[in-house]
Amino acid sequence: MGKVTYIIPIHKFDESVETLLPNALTSIKDTKKDYTVILVGPEDVLSKTEPIVEKLKMKTSVKYVKNEGKTDFASQVNAGAFACTTKYFCVVEYDDAIMEYWPKVAEDYQNDTGAKILIPLVQLVKNGEFAAFANEIAWSAAFGKEDEMLLGLGHLDIDQLNIFMDFNVTGAFINTEDFISIGGLKPSLKVAAWYEFLLRACQNGLDVYVVPKLGYSHTIWRDGSYMSESAKDISKEEGTWLIETARQEYFFKKDREKKFGE
C-alpha cells in the first residue's frame, strides 16, 4: 500500500471542529506510517484549521483542497480523492480516530489478498462511551457464502450487500485509481452513497474485504454531525427510496441524480 492519504472533509468550522479535529489528526500522526492528510472544504473554513495543524507540527504533511462548490459529504470526499496522489486513501471524519496499528494491519492484509477496498472493524462511540461494533457481521460464518469460502470470510459481494447494507466505510483504505475509475461517490444518494459505492465496486470486480481487526473509532449521533443532520432532513419514505435507488443505480458509474418524488 505504501504511503497513504487521509481525507478529512470539513464543510464548516465551529467549536466542535476546533475541539475534535486535533484528536483525529493526532490519531493519524500516531500511526507513524508515511502519510499525507488532505483537508477538504471552503477556503474560509480551511484557513481556520491552519493553527491546529501548525500546533500539532503537521504542516508539511497536510494539503488543503479548496472546494467552494457542493460541500455535502460525498462531494467533499470526491474532491479529496481527485487531489490524492497516493495509491490508497482513507476517509476520516473530523470527530473520529484511526487506531495506530490499522495502516500496518491493512497493508499486510492487502499484500495477502490484493484487495482494493479494506474495511476495518469499527468501534461506535456515543456521548464519549463505547456503544457497539460495526462491520463484524462480515466475519460471521452464517453471513459467508459456501461457494466463496476460497476467498475467505470477510469478503463482500452484491448478494451479501443486498442482505445487509449498514457497513461503516469511513476508516477504510480504498484504491485511489479504482475509486475514480468507477465514478467515486454519488452525492444525489446522500446517506446511501457509501452503500451504493460498495455495490458498484463489487459490480465492477473490485475485491472488498472487511479485515478482522478493530481499526477505527466512529462517533455516532453527535449533534451537528453529518448523520444527525441528515436524519433531520430525510424522511422515512425518502430513506427507503434512497436504499432502493442505490440498488438500481450501482450498474451506472455516473451519478444520474435521481430525485425523490420525481
Side-chain angles (χ1 to χ4, degrees):
M1 237 169 35
K3 185 176 182 178
V4 298
T5 297
Y6 296 93
I7 298 171
I8 304 180
I10 306 176
H11 68 286
K12 63 180 181 180
F13 191 91
D14 55 19
E15 185 178 347
S16 68
V17 177
E18 188 173 16
T19 302
L20 299 170
L21 178 59
N23 184 55
L25 290 171
T26 299
S27 74
I28 293 168
K29 186 178 179 181
D30 286 347
T31 64
K32 298 180 176 62
K33 291 282 288 183
D34 198 9
Y35 66 85
T36 295
V37 174
I38 289 179
L39 296 177
V40 187
E43 184 174 8
D44 63 326
V45 170
L46 296 181
S47 65
K48 295 174 183 176
T49 67
E50 291 179 3
I52 296 173
V53 170
E54 291 177 0
K55 186 176 181 179
L56 293 174
K57 299 181 179 179
M58 298 178 69
K59 190 172 183 180
T60 58
S61 301
V62 176
K63 298 179 181 179
Y64 299 92
V65 173
K66 299 173 185 177
N67 182 29
E68 301 296 345
K70 295 180 179 179
T71 57
D72 61 273
F73 189 80
S75 295
Q76 297 274 67
V77 170
N78 288 343
F82 273 96
C84 181
T85 59
T86 58
K87 189 173 182 180
Y88 279 80
F89 72 87
C90 173
V91 179
V92 178
E93 296 181 55
Y94 71 81
D95 56 355
D96 292 350
I98 290 282
M99 303 298 184
E100 64 178 285
Y101 49 77
W102 171 229
K104 177 64 169 62
V105 170
E107 184 170 51
D108 290 344
Y109 206 82
Q110 196 278 326
N111 290 336
D112 290 341
T113 65
K116 297 302 183 73
I117 301 173
L118 300 116
I119 302 173
L121 301 183
V122 174
Q123 169 183 276
L124 302 178
V125 177
K126 183 177 181 181
N127 298 325
E129 297 183 356
F130 171 79
F133 288 112
N135 303 338
E136 80 284 0
I137 191 174
W139 278 85
S140 166
F143 187 71
K145 295 174 66 176
E146 186 174 347
D147 61 348
E148 289 195 347
M149 282 302 147
L150 288 176
L151 293 172
L153 291 174
H155 181 265
L156 300 183
D157 67 11
I158 290 172
D159 289 341
Q160 291 166 319
L161 288 168
N162 275 319
I163 295 170
F164 185 83
M165 68 195 75
D166 198 17
F167 285 96
N168 190 99
V169 189
T170 48
F173 286 105
I174 301 171
N175 184 283
T176 307
E177 183 178 349
D178 288 313
F179 178 86
I180 293 171
S181 70
I182 68 170
L185 295 180
K186 296 178 179 177
S188 70
L189 291 174
K190 301 179 182 179
V191 295
W194 275 127
Y195 175 54
E196 189 274 342
F197 171 76
L198 291 180
L199 287 167
R200 186 160 22 100
C202 292
Q203 173 69 16
N204 283 274
L206 303 184
D207 280 334
V208 182
Y209 280 88
V210 175
V211 179
K213 187 71 172 180
L214 182 63
Y216 191 74
S217 180
H218 176 55
T219 300
I220 58 173
W221 301 118
R222 179 184 57 77
D223 287 343
S225 69
Y226 171 70
M227 285 302 297
S228 64
E229 290 300 308
S230 297
K232 296 176 183 177
D233 298 332
I234 298 174
S235 66
K236 182 179 179 180
E237 291 75 19
E238 184 179 3
T240 300
W241 178 86
L242 287 168
I243 296 299
E244 291 174 350
T245 303
R247 289 172 173 162
Q248 298 167 4
E249 290 298 300
Y250 72 85
F251 297 100
F252 307 97
K253 292 183 179 180
K254 185 178 180 180
D255 188 351
R256 300 200 301 168
E257 299 185 3
K258 291 195 170 185
K259 301 286 193 301
F260 176 63
E262 293 183 0

